[in-house]
Amino acid sequence: MKSPRNVVKRKMSPGHCLLHTAPSMLRLPGTLGGYERASLNRNIRLPQATGETFSMCIPPPNVTGSLHIGHALTVAIQDALVRWHRMRGDQVLWVPGSDHAGIATQSVVEKQLWKERRVRRHDLSREDFLREVWRWKEEKGGEICEQLRALGASLDWDRERFTMDAGSSVAVTEAFVRLHKAGLLYRGRQLVNWSCALRSAISDIEVESRPLPGRTELRLPGCPSPVSFGLLVSVAFPVDGEPDAEVVVGTTRPETLPGDVAVAIHPDDARFTHLHGRQLRHPLTGQLLPLITDASVEPHVGTGAVKVTPAHSPADAELGARHGLHPLSVIAEDGTMTSLCGDWLQGLHRFVARERIMSALKERRLFRGLQDHPMVLPICSRSGDVVEYLLKSQWFVRCREMGDRAAQAVESGALELSPSFHQKNWQHWFSHIGDWCVSRQLWWGHRIPAYLVVEEPVKADGEDCWVVGRTEAEAREVAAALTGRAGAELTLQRDPDVLDTWFSSALFPFSSLGWPQETPDFTRFYPLSLLETGSDLLLFWVGRMVMLGTQLTGQLPFRQVLLHSMVRDRQGRKMSKSLGNVLDPRDVIAGAGLQVLQEKLREGNLDPEELAIAAAEQRKDFPHGIPECGTDALRFTLCSHGALGGDLHLSVSEVLSSRHFCNKIWNALRFILGVLGRGFVPQPSEELSPSSPMDAWVLSRLARTAYECERGFLTRELPLVAHALHHFWLHSLCDVYLEAVKPVLSRTPRPPGPPQVLLSCADIGLCLLAPLMPFLAEELWQRLPPRPGGPRAPSISVAPYPSARSLEHWYQPELERCFSRVQEAVQALRALRATYQLTKARPRVLLQSSEPGERGLFQDFLEPLSTLGHCGAVGLLPPGAAAPSGWAQAPLGDTTQVYVELQGLVHPQTHLPLLAARRHKLQRQLDNLLSRTSSVGEAETRRKQRISSLQLELSKLDKAASHLQQLVDTSPSPREP
């Protein structure tokens, strides 16, 4: 047989061990196989075509780097669903794409420019810098596509989109203009998340909430020395007119004291009732501040009094607005103190100013103490700097009205979230949603299509005069109409800011199909059938897609959202470059030595301290590197996890186990093809009728597997599919049927039934497996002899997926129930063989049952019982007959006994010491477990399970020892007939 070009060419000779063949075959194929490429033409109508469409888009990964295992989970789930729909006969569109990742990409390119040329961004013009970014994108951006192809993603590559390409730019501009005209997008001065290191506003998802248990020192960009956080500073605000009276306020941010405009207390706090209406002296400036009462103050937190800094705290901004307080901005964009702080602080880094303020408070004797204080610190995930809240004039999207529609869509069932427990978070987020800041102070991104009308008088609300247009000419027309002046007389300056990356990402489901034009793809495939992504993106991405999609297209962008969990390492840690546990899927697929893994870390952008920690952790986790596992093994492992529930803890050892499963399938097909031989003539599957109970059983198991796979795909529960396939291939086919049928196949002449059954199991089983393991399934399926009838599909990827209905004539649940009883007998026989260490002997076996039905059941499977139990002849002992003397015995429930011949096969005097030694060893293990202090959770459950298992094993050993002792004490009995 010829192997495809991406397969290691090794013959499937009967004696050849293919342990490494399957994984090598699946290594980094680079492109879809020739069979599959030829079959993915959407213009070809499949015989099983349903006339339905199935459309989905990949969550566009950031163009900045490479995919990790979390992305691989997304791809594995999506590709399995896409392949199933394609084989089912649906017309499928799966749109690939990547995200321009504004902050991340600009940061990477800036670091590279500094590293290679010692050039800062501002040393270049905006146009020159953008040329550098595009050059970097062209050089590095293709890596993601290579990884997707390595994972076997059968994407529609001719539809690939990039969120900064021409089509996306048109869609972004159109969306901005339409939202502005609808009154849903406006410019205003509000508090925003601000990264001083990046000098830009950032989104909520880029703010990492880091819990601190108490005093914690952090090194921050731009700060000359480590800064302590997790401390509560107590500051006295003297009461005006009362020399000895003061109100003590607790704060974790003393550097914002210059921006305080009031102190607030709860109106019912009796400690301050006598001070209602009084004024306080600012501890630094001596200015008078009002002491205000507000029900939002928590009396039992800290001192019960809080300083109010509306320009640097979202909570204080709301409180200040309620009381008409004017905000004072004391921290600048670069993180230094502003002129409002006075000459002694102006220009200082805010955390250097903190120490100077603390010293000033002590000099003025207004410092009242310092104590550890657990807190949550907002950190910019892009820069590592502490996030500041600054008042900035920015563009905002009004979200309330659109958010209400998104919440209603889920409540009414028009939009389905799966798993359903995410609905609670969805409704809570939209019921508390604020306006969305979409301005970013970057150069890389979609430049905002808004223009300042220069020299135009400021509007009544204090804002400058801004106009919006698809082009400058359109904006000029709007400005002329607004000002009543000729457009040619006006000077317009375009907003230098760009839009939040999430704005263009929120348009992806329809912009990728050609919106705002009514393209054939948009007409046919929108709304999308499904949106599958990680649960961490539910609100920031999915929620915004629903809001903007509904507003701009008049339809929900998709009908169902399938959310998988976060992938963590085997220790339960989040995948992080700084921890050294981020895995490139290609390293798991092809394998990678420790030296290669460490080199990849050094090539990254980690600072020296982070690099040292990551390298140490990597050496600990992968001391010998990562073994080669193969694409299909990785995909199968990811799909088999219960990824819809809690976090997914992934270890390479699990993927390696799936690789062994791949090898099992490969070797099973090698055996089956050897049985079929060259002159084999396949029978149409619909004409196949089982000729033995074993044939009927395995075909029933195959039909059940098809039903479970169909149910799993319909409900989008891929772990059910993976479990059903694993159980059929490993346990039903390989462990049971192949072993049971070997003696039958060795007969001359060979019965015609089993080879036909084996072909059906291989053909249908591979088709069932194909969505999860496309490479292995394709390679092996192409080797099978074609069945008579019409032309065969060019690839398994477009072969009809086996339906439960087409195989229901094979399904015999009663036969499966009966055979499960036979399997119990096999297990009992194997347990007796293990206990008495009958390694090579093939003892006779007798079964005795008081139930007539069971006797008939065992009668039909005597030969498989002998084969699977590794025994000699198996017979039935009539009910009521005396038990054979000297035979080992094991109960099979309440109605059946299993007897195994020992005489002449076991030497009691030799075997008893072996049993005693084993019993001593197990007893020590049991005593050790019993002496341990009880724990909680999974560890305690495992301990109890192990105790139960040891006690059962000890009981079996005691019974065996007692039986052997009887053989020693009594003379041997005659052999039973």
Side-chain angles (χ1 to χ4, degrees), residues 687-728:
E687 297 178 11
L688 178 60
S689 179
S691 58
S692 72
M694 278 307 303
D695 291 348
W697 174 80
V698 77
L699 290 176
S700 180
R701 289 295 311 155
L702 182 60
R704 176 187 286 271
T705 303
Y707 167 77
E708 291 174 347
C709 288
E710 187 175 271
R711 182 167 64 94
F713 276 117
L714 286 171
T715 59
R716 322 281 198 209
E717 297 180 76
L718 295 190
L720 296 180
V721 179
H723 175 76
L725 289 167
H726 188 269
H727 193 275
F728 172 76

Side-chain angles (χ1 to χ4, degrees), residues 17 37 107 125 168 247 251 305 360 369 410 455 489 537 549 653 727 749 796 814 871 898 950:
C17 175
R37 269 201 319 275
S107 177
S125 68
S168 296
V247 174
T251 179
V410 168
E455 298 176 358
E489 298 176 3
L537 295 179
S653 61
H727 193 275
I796 197 172
E814 182 59 25
C871 300
V898 178
L950 287 170

Side-chain angles (χ1 to χ4, degrees), residues 661-669 729 766 769 773 776 780:
F661 176 49
C662 291
N663 289 340
K664 193 81 171 180
I665 296 171
W666 180 273
N667 287 322
L669 263 292
W729 277 99
L766 289 173
L769 187 68
M773 291 187 173
L776 180 65
L780 297 178

Side-chain angles (χ1 to χ4, degrees), residues 228-237 247-260 262-263 282-284 301-309 312-313 316 331 351 354 357-358 361 366-375 377 388:
S228 295
F229 295 92
L231 296 171
L232 187 69
V233 180
S234 296
V235 182
F237 283 68
V247 174
V248 177
V249 169
T251 179
T252 59
R253 300 291 313 276
E255 64 273 15
T256 63
L257 272 168
D260 291 350
V263 171
H282 192 289
L284 297 178
V301 175
T303 64
V306 296
K307 63 192 211 57
V308 183
T309 320
H312 299 288
S313 163
D316 289 4
I331 297 177
F351 295 125
R354 171 189 287 189
I357 289 171
M358 295 275 283
L361 290 172
L366 295 175
F367 177 76
R368 294 293 179 265
L370 186 70
Q371 64 186 62
D372 278 18
H373 181 72
M375 63 179 292
L377 189 68
E388 294 295 338

Side-chain angles (χ1 to χ4, degrees), residues 244-307:
D244 297 327
E246 64 184 29
V247 174
V248 177
V249 169
T251 179
T252 59
R253 300 291 313 276
E255 64 273 15
T256 63
L257 272 168
D260 291 350
V261 295
V263 171
I265 55 175
H266 193 279
D268 299 331
D269 192 337
R271 294 172 295 177
F272 304 110
T273 304
H274 64 291
L275 295 176
H276 285 193
R278 301 296 296 274
Q279 289 188 309
L280 310 177
R281 289 285 177 183
H282 192 289
L284 297 178
T285 66
Q287 292 178 332
L288 292 175
L289 304 180
L291 180 67
I292 60 177
T293 59
D294 195 281
S296 66
V297 179
E298 299 177 85
H300 304 296
V301 175
T303 64
V306 296
K307 63 192 211 57

Side-chain angles (χ1 to χ4, degrees), residues 802-869:
S803 68
R805 178 175 293 181
S806 68
L807 304 181
E808 62 184 358
H809 59 287
W810 286 343
Y811 184 41
Q812 299 185 52
E814 182 59 25
L815 174 63
E816 290 188 39
R817 187 195 65 78
C818 292
F819 190 72
S820 64
R821 191 71 170 146
V822 174
Q823 289 177 294
E824 290 175 21
V826 169
Q827 293 302 318
L829 287 172
R830 291 179 177 177
L832 285 172
R833 288 178 56 82
T835 300
Y836 291 96
Q837 298 186 345
L838 298 171
T839 53
K840 296 183 179 179
R842 294 292 184 266
R844 290 186 296 164
V845 172
L846 290 173
L847 299 173
Q848 186 180 45
S849 178
S850 59
E851 291 290 334
E854 282 200 345
R855 291 198 296 274
L857 181 160
F858 288 127
Q859 184 68 52
D860 290 339
F861 291 100
L862 291 180
E863 185 177 5
L865 259 173
S866 172
T867 303
L868 298 172

